[in-house]
PDB file of all heavy atoms in Angstrom:
ATOM      1  N   ILE U 287      -5.856 -69.069 -89.648  1.00  0.00           N
ATOM      2  CA  ILE U 287      -4.674 -69.925 -89.740  1.00  0.00           C
ATOM      3  C   ILE U 287      -4.929 -71.164 -90.597  1.00  0.00           C
ATOM      4  O   ILE U 287      -4.029 -71.646 -91.293  1.00  0.00           O
ATOM      5  CB  ILE U 287      -4.167 -70.331 -88.322  1.00  0.00           C
ATOM      6  CG1 ILE U 287      -2.801 -71.013 -88.411  1.00  0.00           C
ATOM      7  CG2 ILE U 287      -5.179 -71.190 -87.609  1.00  0.00           C
ATOM      8  CD1 ILE U 287      -1.684 -70.115 -88.836  1.00  0.00           C
ATOM      9  N   ASP U 288      -6.159 -71.667 -90.608  1.00  0.00           N
ATOM     10  CA  ASP U 288      -6.444 -72.882 -91.371  1.00  0.00           C
ATOM     11  C   ASP U 288      -7.453 -72.651 -92.493  1.00  0.00           C
ATOM     12  O   ASP U 288      -8.156 -73.579 -92.912  1.00  0.00           O
ATOM     13  CB  ASP U 288      -6.930 -73.996 -90.437  1.00  0.00           C
ATOM     14  CG  ASP U 288      -5.808 -74.524 -89.551  1.00  0.00           C
ATOM     15  OD1 ASP U 288      -4.714 -74.803 -90.091  1.00  0.00           O
ATOM     16  OD2 ASP U 288      -6.010 -74.621 -88.327  1.00  0.00           O
ATOM     17  N   VAL U 289      -7.542 -71.418 -92.967  1.00  0.00           N
ATOM     18  CA  VAL U 289      -8.365 -71.134 -94.144  1.00  0.00           C
ATOM     19  C   VAL U 289      -7.451 -70.917 -95.336  1.00  0.00           C
ATOM     20  O   VAL U 289      -6.241 -70.708 -95.191  1.00  0.00           O
ATOM     21  CB  VAL U 289      -9.284 -69.913 -93.945  1.00  0.00           C
ATOM     22  CG1 VAL U 289     -10.144 -70.084 -92.698  1.00  0.00           C
ATOM     23  CG2 VAL U 289      -8.481 -68.626 -93.872  1.00  0.00           C
ATOM     24  N   SER U 290      -8.009 -70.952 -96.531  1.00  0.00           N
ATOM     25  CA  SER U 290      -7.205 -70.772 -97.748  1.00  0.00           C
ATOM     26  C   SER U 290      -6.647 -69.352 -97.811  1.00  0.00           C
ATOM     27  O   SER U 290      -7.182 -68.428 -97.190  1.00  0.00           O
ATOM     28  CB  SER U 290      -8.051 -71.053 -98.991  1.00  0.00           C
ATOM     29  OG  SER U 290      -9.071 -70.072 -99.123  1.00  0.00           O
ATOM     30  N   LEU U 291      -5.583 -69.204 -98.574  1.00  0.00           N
ATOM     31  CA  LEU U 291      -4.936 -67.899 -98.689  1.00  0.00           C
ATOM     32  C   LEU U 291      -5.883 -66.841 -99.237  1.00  0.00           C
ATOM     33  O   LEU U 291      -5.856 -65.684 -98.796  1.00  0.00           O
ATOM     34  CB  LEU U 291      -3.700 -68.015 -99.593  1.00  0.00           C
ATOM     35  CG  LEU U 291      -2.553 -68.864 -99.042  1.00  0.00           C
ATOM     36  CD1 LEU U 291      -1.469 -69.039-100.095  1.00  0.00           C
ATOM     37  CD2 LEU U 291      -1.975 -68.238 -97.780  1.00  0.00           C
ATOM     38  N   ILE U 292      -6.735 -67.217-100.187  1.00  0.00           N
ATOM     39  CA  ILE U 292      -7.644 -66.219-100.764  1.00  0.00           C
ATOM     40  C   ILE U 292      -8.705 -65.826 -99.745  1.00  0.00           C
ATOM     41  O   ILE U 292      -9.112 -64.655 -99.665  1.00  0.00           O
ATOM     42  CB  ILE U 292      -8.297 -66.726-102.074  1.00  0.00           C
ATOM     43  CG1 ILE U 292      -9.086 -65.603-102.751  1.00  0.00           C
ATOM     44  CG2 ILE U 292      -9.160 -67.942-101.830  1.00  0.00           C
ATOM     45  CD1 ILE U 292      -8.252 -64.420-103.166  1.00  0.00           C
ATOM     46  N   LYS U 293      -9.145 -66.770 -98.901  1.00  0.00           N
ATOM     47  CA  LYS U 293     -10.122 -66.418 -97.869  1.00  0.00           C
ATOM     48  C   LYS U 293      -9.477 -65.528 -96.803  1.00  0.00           C
ATOM     49  O   LYS U 293     -10.134 -64.640 -96.235  1.00  0.00           O
ATOM     50  CB  LYS U 293     -10.729 -67.673 -97.246  1.00  0.00           C
ATOM     51  CG  LYS U 293     -11.712 -68.391 -98.160  1.00  0.00           C
ATOM     52  CD  LYS U 293     -12.457 -69.490 -97.432  1.00  0.00           C
ATOM     53  CE  LYS U 293     -13.462 -70.171 -98.371  1.00  0.00           C
ATOM     54  NZ  LYS U 293     -14.492 -69.221 -98.842  1.00  0.00           N
ATOM     55  N   ALA U 294      -8.214 -65.738 -96.524  1.00  0.00           N
ATOM     56  CA  ALA U 294      -7.512 -64.867 -95.579  1.00  0.00           C
ATOM     57  C   ALA U 294      -7.392 -63.461 -96.159  1.00  0.00           C
ATOM     58  O   ALA U 294      -7.541 -62.467 -95.436  1.00  0.00           O
ATOM     59  CB  ALA U 294      -6.124 -65.434 -95.279  1.00  0.00           C
ATOM     60  N   TYR U 295      -7.146 -63.377 -97.463  1.00  0.00           N
ATOM     61  CA  TYR U 295      -7.080 -62.072 -98.127  1.00  0.00           C
ATOM     62  C   TYR U 295      -8.428 -61.366 -98.016  1.00  0.00           C
ATOM     63  O   TYR U 295      -8.505 -60.172 -97.688  1.00  0.00           O
ATOM     64  CB  TYR U 295      -6.695 -62.280 -99.591  1.00  0.00           C
ATOM     65  CG  TYR U 295      -6.376 -61.014-100.360  1.00  0.00           C
ATOM     66  CD1 TYR U 295      -5.079 -60.524-100.432  1.00  0.00           C
ATOM     67  CD2 TYR U 295      -7.383 -60.315-101.029  1.00  0.00           C
ATOM     68  CE1 TYR U 295      -4.777 -59.374-101.150  1.00  0.00           C
ATOM     69  CE2 TYR U 295      -7.099 -59.160-101.743  1.00  0.00           C
ATOM     70  CZ  TYR U 295      -5.789 -58.692-101.800  1.00  0.00           C
ATOM     71  OH  TYR U 295      -5.504 -57.552-102.508  1.00  0.00           O
TER      72      TYR U 295
END
Side-chain angles (χ1 to χ4, degrees):
I287 190 68
D288 289 312
V289 305
S290 66
L291 293 173
I292 188 62
K293 287 189 179 298
Y295 189 91

